[in-house]
Amino acid sequence: MLRSIVDVNLCKFLSPDVPLFQGIIGDLFPGVDLPKADYREMEQAMRDVCAKKNLQPTEYFMTKQTCCSKARGIFMQNEGFA
């Protein structure tokens, strides 16, 4: 349940709001440690594209792109494209 809450909401926040959201999640689910999802292959592909496009792959940028990718996947499944 916690993974769903984080995945659905994290990408909606601006970078200054992320620590506040994480604090709220920590207050609602004290002592629950959410393991980081394994997106190594996707992150490496994003870093490669950033290098080619002369962009900086900041943590915020990488998180936003991961969220967008997950949202596209959910949309495609719901629309019957996957």
Side-chain angles (χ1 to χ4, degrees):
M1 181 166 114
L2 180 56
R3 170 67 64 199
S4 298
I5 292 170
V6 171
D7 286 351
V8 167
N9 290 294
L10 186 61
C11 57
K12 297 177 185 176
F13 295 109
L14 300 174
S15 58
D17 298 327
V18 171
L20 177 61
F21 174 70
Q22 291 171 331
I24 292 169
I25 291 296
D27 290 344
L28 292 173
F29 299 93
V32 176
D33 184 30
L34 186 63
K36 186 174 180 185
D38 185 14
Y39 297 117
R40 287 180 288 191
E41 289 182 30
M42 184 170 64
E43 288 176 355
Q44 186 56 52
M46 288 190 293
R47 289 181 197 287
D48 293 344
V49 170
C50 284
K52 289 178 186 175
K53 302 279 186 180
N54 199 26
L55 298 172
Q56 294 180 355
T58 64
E59 183 68 28
Y60 179 69
F61 174 82
M62 299 293 279
T63 300
K64 280 294 200 180
Q65 295 306 310
T66 302
C67 287
C68 288
S69 176
K70 287 188 287 188
R72 274 193 310 271
I74 292 168
F75 170 77
M76 298 298 273
Q77 287 175 357
N78 289 340
E79 295 298 315
F81 292 110

